[in-house]
């Protein structure tokens, strides 16, 4: 409907609480005021007809029982009505019929007559409507009516913003600030003589100039506040967006850290499991080699003991008084490298290694001895009499084996290598016992020594030292 009338429709946000029943709009923008006044009535009609209304978010639109409007100029020569008379007739009908649930729209209140009388009459009309609770919207150029907002509760000032540079309306409603007149500015733009403009500015009352300056300052401050609010809103949105991005990044970083920690722990666990398997395998191999070495050493000892017993038996035979040497062979019949029988050994077989000055160096088993050639006789080679070679692994026995080791003054984690070397040396030297001196102290060294000895298969027994061996400060190790 507004578009059909050639009026621009501008959405606005107008909210009036219960204490404010009259909206007094002042300013030079008559076209804008007319649009506003028509829109208020039209919006109510559209709302009550179920038609969507083009208003901003948060707008409140009341439901009215009646609508009264005094808009435009209805002067009539035929009816002998002046502009002021037409306004008074309309306002008289409004005052007779308007109720607390009605909407009253008044354009250019107090115009068409003397400004002083028009302001007085307009103020009385607005007071009456406000007392009865009628929602009223009135526009005016009269400065005296702008003071009603400070004198009468329920009346609030408002203005339609005007671009002072372009001298064009912005159609933006500013609530709480009265509008100021731009009559002189418009006259200057329309090329009214400069001397007339200057004289008009001089004739303005000082109070009016002060009010205009104050209103201009308020409008400027309102504009600055609006810009600050917009900047603050933009910054708030930017900060909110940044906060959202930062929170998202933090979540991603935390998730990545958890993923990396899971992978690291999984890899570490797998590494430990693999390392444990390798250690177990190495321990098994070492144990197998140790068992094999011990078995070989035991076998070597048995062979050596057997040879020693055989030699001891031969020596016993030789030392007997009733020993009679067998018939001697001919020296000319033997030569180096021959297998011979040795009469002095009861006919034992051996190999003649060397002949020197009527004697011969004979190898019997693992023993070399020098005997007269007369006691030797050639014989057939005996395959069973071949040299016995016994491989013995390990180090040679020490000339002065250590029978005790002193651990006093050491830490529990420092003694393992020393104790193991002492045990190895004792086994190599075929010792029956080994004394480990650890002192009494806190008992940590004694406990560590006991733990090691309990796991050592070469140890048959270990005990605390006797009173004459060092008592609790000594552990005596016994070998099989």
């Amino acid at each position: 409907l507004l578009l059909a009338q050639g009026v621009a429709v501008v959405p606005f946000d107008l909210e009036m609480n219960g204490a404010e029943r009259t909206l007094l709009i002042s300013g030079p923008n008559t076209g804008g005021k007319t649009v506003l006044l028509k829109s208020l009535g039209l919006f109510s009609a559209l709302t009550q007809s179920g038609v969507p209304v083009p208003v901003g978010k948060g707008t409140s639109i009341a439901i009215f029982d009646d609508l009264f409007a005094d808009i435009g100029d209805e002067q009539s020569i035929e009816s002998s009505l002046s502009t002021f008379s037409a306004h008074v007739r309309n306002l008289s009908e409004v005052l007779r019929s308007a109720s607390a649930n009605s909407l009253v729209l008044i354009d250019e209140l107090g115009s068409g007559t003397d400004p002083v009388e028009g302001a007085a009459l307009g103020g009385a009309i607005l007071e009456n409507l406000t007392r009865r609770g009628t929602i009223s919207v009135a526009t005016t150029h009269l400065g005296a009516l702008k003071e009603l907002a400070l004198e009468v509760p329920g009346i609030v000032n408002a203005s339609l913003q005007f671009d002072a540079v372009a001298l064009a309306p912005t159609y933006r409603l500013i609530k709480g600030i009265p509008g100021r007149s731009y009559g002189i500015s418009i006259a200057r733009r329309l090329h009214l003589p400069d001397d007339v403009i200057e004289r008009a500015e001089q004739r303005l009352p000082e109070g009016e100039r002060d009010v205009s300056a104050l209103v201009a300052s308020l409008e400027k401050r309102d504009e600055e506040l609006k810009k600050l609010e917009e900047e603050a809103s933009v910054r708030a949105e930017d900060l909110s967006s940044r906060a959202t991005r930062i929170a998202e990044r933090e979540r991603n970083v935390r998730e990545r850290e958890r993923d990396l920690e899971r992978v690291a722990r999984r890899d570490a666990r797998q590494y430990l499991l693999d390392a444990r398997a390798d250690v177990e395998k190495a321990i098994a191999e070492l144990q197998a080699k140790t068992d094999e070495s011990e078995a070989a050493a035991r076998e070597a000892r048995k062979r050596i003991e057997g040879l020693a017993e055989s030699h001891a038996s031969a020596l016993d035979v030789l030392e007997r008084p009733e020993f009679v040497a067998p018939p001697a062979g001919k020296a000319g019949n033997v030569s180096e490298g021959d297998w011979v029988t040795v009469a002095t050994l009861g006919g034992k077989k051996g190999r003649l290694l060397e002949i020197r000055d009527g004697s011969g160096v004979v190898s019997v088993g693992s023993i070399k001895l020098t005997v007269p050639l007369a006691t030797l006789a050639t014989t057939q080679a005996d395959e069973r009499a071949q040299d016995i070679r016994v491989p013995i692994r390990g180090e040679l026995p020490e000339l002065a084996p250590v029978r005790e080791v002193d651990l006093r003054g050491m830490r529990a984690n420092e003694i393992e290598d020393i104790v193991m070397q002492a045990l190895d040396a004792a086994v190599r030297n075929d010792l029956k016992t080994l004394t480990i001196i650890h002192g009494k102290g806190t008992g940590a060294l004694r406990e560590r020594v006991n733990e090691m000895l309990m796991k050592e298969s070469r140890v048959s027994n270990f005990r605390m030292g006797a009173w004459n061996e060092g008592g609790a400060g000594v552990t005596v190790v016994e070998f099989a």
Side-chain angles (χ1 to χ4, degrees):
L1 295 176
L2 290 176
L3 292 175
Q5 298 177 27
V7 178
V9 178
V10 181
F12 64 93
D13 186 357
L14 176 62
E15 180 178 357
M16 299 182 65
N17 55 41
E20 298 171 355
R21 309 303 295 177
T22 300
L23 183 65
L24 183 62
I25 302 175
S26 58
N29 187 3
T30 305
K33 291 181 292 185
T34 303
V35 172
L36 174 64
L37 297 178
K38 290 183 178 180
S39 298
L40 284 175
L42 178 61
F43 289 165
S44 177
L46 291 175
T47 302
Q48 293 180 239
S49 301
V51 179
V53 181
V55 294
K57 183 179 180 181
T59 301
S60 299
I61 298 179
I63 303 300
F64 303 111
D65 58 1
D66 207 342
L67 172 63
F68 299 91
D70 178 26
I71 300 174
D73 188 356
E74 297 184 4
Q75 62 177 323
S76 174
I77 297 177
E78 180 182 358
S79 301
S80 299
L81 288 177
S82 64
T83 300
F84 179 73
S85 300
H87 283 305
V88 171
R89 188 180 64 177
N90 293 336
L91 294 175
S92 177
E93 181 182 356
V94 169
L95 293 175
R96 285 195 305 271
S97 304
S99 67
N101 296 322
S102 300
L103 173 63
V104 176
L105 306 177
I106 305 175
D107 187 23
E108 294 294 348
L109 180 63
S111 62
T113 187
D114 179 73
V116 177
E117 293 185 356
L121 185 59
I125 293 172
L126 290 180
E127 284 187 78
N128 183 276
L129 292 174
T130 302
R131 282 197 301 269
R132 70 175 67 180
T134 304
I135 295 179
S136 306
V137 179
T139 64
T140 183
H141 284 92
L142 300 180
L145 290 178
K146 302 175 185 178
E147 300 175 1
L148 285 177
L150 302 176
E151 299 172 355
V152 181
I155 297 179
V156 61
N157 277 321
S159 60
L160 288 170
Q161 191 179 45
F162 192 78
D163 190 345
V165 177
L167 295 178
T170 63
Y171 298 98
R172 178 173 176 263
L173 179 68
I174 302 176
K175 187 178 177 182
I177 299 178
R180 60 190 178 99
S181 177
Y182 291 88
I184 295 179
S185 299
I186 295 175
R188 180 181 287 111
R189 184 175 182 181
L190 295 177
H191 307 293
L192 203 66
D194 294 338
D195 57 340
V196 176
I197 298 297
E198 293 176 2
R199 184 57 182 162
E201 290 177 345
Q202 294 173 1
R203 293 182 65 84
L204 280 175
E206 184 177 356
E208 187 69 22
R209 289 198 298 268
D210 294 341
V211 171
S212 297
L214 177 61
V215 172
S217 176
L218 291 176
E219 290 179 352
K220 182 179 180 181
R221 183 172 299 180
D222 180 75
E223 188 67 23
E224 292 175 353
L225 290 176
K226 179 184 177 183
K227 292 180 180 179
L228 291 177
E229 289 179 357
E230 292 177 353
E231 293 177 359
S233 177
V234 172
R235 291 181 181 178
E237 292 179 359
D238 182 60
L239 291 176
S240 177
S241 177
R242 290 185 180 182
T244 302
R245 292 196 300 270
I246 291 174
E248 184 66 24
R249 289 179 181 176
E250 288 180 353
R251 285 194 296 271
N252 294 336
V253 169
R254 286 196 296 268
E255 292 178 359
R256 188 175 302 173
E257 288 178 351
R258 286 195 294 268
D259 293 340
L260 292 176
E261 184 178 0
R262 283 196 296 269
V263 172
R265 291 185 179 276
R266 184 169 58 249
D267 294 344
R269 181 176 180 274
Q270 186 61 39
Y271 175 79
L272 292 175
L273 294 175
D274 295 342
R276 185 177 67 179
D278 294 340
V279 170
E280 295 290 344
K281 181 179 179 182
I283 292 174
E285 292 177 354
L286 290 175
Q287 289 178 346
K289 290 182 179 179
T290 301
D291 296 341
E292 182 180 350
S293 300
E294 292 179 355
R298 286 195 296 270
E299 183 65 24
R301 289 194 187 100
K302 289 181 181 179
R303 292 186 181 182
I304 292 173
E305 291 173 358
L307 290 174
E309 290 178 359
S310 65
H311 292 313
S313 300
L315 290 175
D316 290 341
V317 173
L318 291 174
E319 292 176 355
R320 292 175 185 172
E322 64 275 10
F323 172 75
V324 178
K330 296 182 180 180
N333 295 334
V334 294
S335 60
E336 293 181 357
D338 292 344
W339 284 94
V340 296
T341 58
V342 182
T344 57
L345 295 180
K348 292 287 187 181
K349 290 184 178 182
R351 176 174 286 183
L352 182 59
L353 301 177
E354 184 182 357
I355 298 175
R356 57 175 75 161
D357 298 332
S359 298
V361 179
V362 181
S363 172
V364 180
S366 60
I367 300 176
K368 293 179 182 180
L369 66 160
T370 303
V371 298
L373 291 176
T375 61
L376 301 178
T378 58
T379 184
Q380 297 292 327
D382 188 0
E383 295 180 357
R384 294 176 298 174
Q386 299 292 332
D387 293 341
I388 300 174
R389 298 183 180 272
V390 180
I392 300 177
R393 299 180 181 178
E395 300 178 358
L396 294 176
E398 299 177 0
L399 296 178
V402 179
R403 298 181 179 275
E404 65 180 23
V405 58
D406 193 349
L407 306 177
R408 288 175 295 182
M410 299 182 183
R411 298 180 181 273
N413 58 356
E414 299 174 348
I415 67 173
E416 184 172 355
D417 292 340
I418 298 175
V419 173
M420 294 304 298
Q421 291 176 6
L423 293 176
D424 294 341
V427 172
R428 286 197 305 270
N429 290 276
D430 200 20
L431 298 181
K432 296 301 181 181
T433 61
L434 173 67
T435 302
I436 301 177
I437 304 173
H438 44 67
K440 297 179 181 179
T442 60
L445 291 179
R446 182 177 65 252
E447 292 179 0
R448 179 57 182 154
V449 169
N450 292 343
E451 291 178 0
M452 296 176 62
L453 296 178
M454 287 170 48
K455 298 178 181 179
E456 184 58 52
S457 61
R458 295 175 294 178
V459 176
S460 62
N461 187 31
F462 62 91
R463 59 180 174 81
M464 184 177 66
W467 65 272
N468 58 347
E469 294 175 330
V474 170
T475 297
V476 178
V477 184
E478 299 176 356
F479 298 96

